[in-house]
Amino acid sequence: MEKKPLIYFLCTGNSCRSQIADGFLNALGSDKYEVKSAGLEAHGLNPRAVQVMNEVGVDISKNTSNVIDPEILNRADYVITLCGHADEHCPVISNKNVTKWHWGFDDPAKAIGSEEEIMAQFRTVRDSIKSRIEQFVKEGI
């Protein structure tokens, strides 16, 4: 069996954006890709991220919030950062064959306002990440 490309999504806390990306790529492309996610720190899985993913039929409730694993980082085929902080502070990758991309999305965990307004921000970010993942899978990268 051919080795699936390893996609490693990175964010600051591995609580929202990287978890959403992980969930969508597993749902839409797990037959093509090995998917992992992590953060510079582990902030725990954000319950609002779980909720908005459940709304579109993707269960990430069993995901864990992980700190970047150097072994996974250096065996990844693609390292994709989802926030500027992770992009700027990503550890050095010794694997010279890795493709590193930055897909910047606003942090929905920093949204303020009513619960409805905060959830609207989570949904906007979720939908933006889904569109980018769909494009990634369609292009067969």
Side-chain angles (χ1 to χ4, degrees), residues 94-114:
S94 61
N95 174 4
K96 300 299 181 211
N97 297 318
V98 70
T99 299
K100 185 174 180 290
W101 287 332
H102 175 64
W103 301 347
F105 297 98
D106 292 336
D107 186 355
K110 292 184 176 174
I112 55 172
S114 67

Side-chain angles (χ1 to χ4, degrees), residues 16-55:
C16 294
R17 292 164 287 183
S18 52
Q19 294 286 354
I20 290 169
D22 179 309
F24 276 131
L25 190 53
N26 269 311
L28 301 171
S30 64
D31 57 327
K32 298 178 186 174
Y33 305 104
E34 180 184 357
V35 184
K36 305 265 186 208
S37 67
L40 299 172
E41 305 164 355
H43 292 171
L45 186 58
N46 187 301
R48 289 181 176 122
V50 174
Q51 182 180 338
V52 297
M53 291 300 283
N54 279 338
E55 292 173 2

Side-chain angles (χ1 to χ4, degrees), residues 33-125:
Y33 305 104
E34 180 184 357
V35 184
K36 305 265 186 208
S37 67
L40 299 172
E41 305 164 355
H43 292 171
L45 186 58
N46 187 301
R48 289 181 176 122
V50 174
Q51 182 180 338
V52 297
M53 291 300 283
N54 279 338
E55 292 173 2
V56 294
V58 178
D59 182 8
I60 62 169
S61 65
K62 303 275 189 285
N63 287 20
T64 57
S65 181
N66 304 301
V67 174
I68 296 170
D69 179 325
E71 188 275 323
I72 296 172
L73 182 69
N74 286 302
R75 128 180 121 76
D77 296 286
Y78 295 88
V79 171
I80 302 172
T81 55
L82 302 167
C83 68
H85 186 255
D87 185 41
E88 293 166 14
H89 296 91
C90 182
V92 173
I93 303 168
S94 61
N95 174 4
K96 300 299 181 211
N97 297 318
V98 70
T99 299
K100 185 174 180 290
W101 287 332
H102 175 64
W103 301 347
F105 297 98
D106 292 336
D107 186 355
K110 292 184 176 174
I112 55 172
S114 67
E115 184 62 19
E116 187 176 304
E117 292 167 328
I118 292 169
M119 290 304 292
Q121 183 62 29
F122 268 83
R123 290 180 187 106
T124 297
V125 171

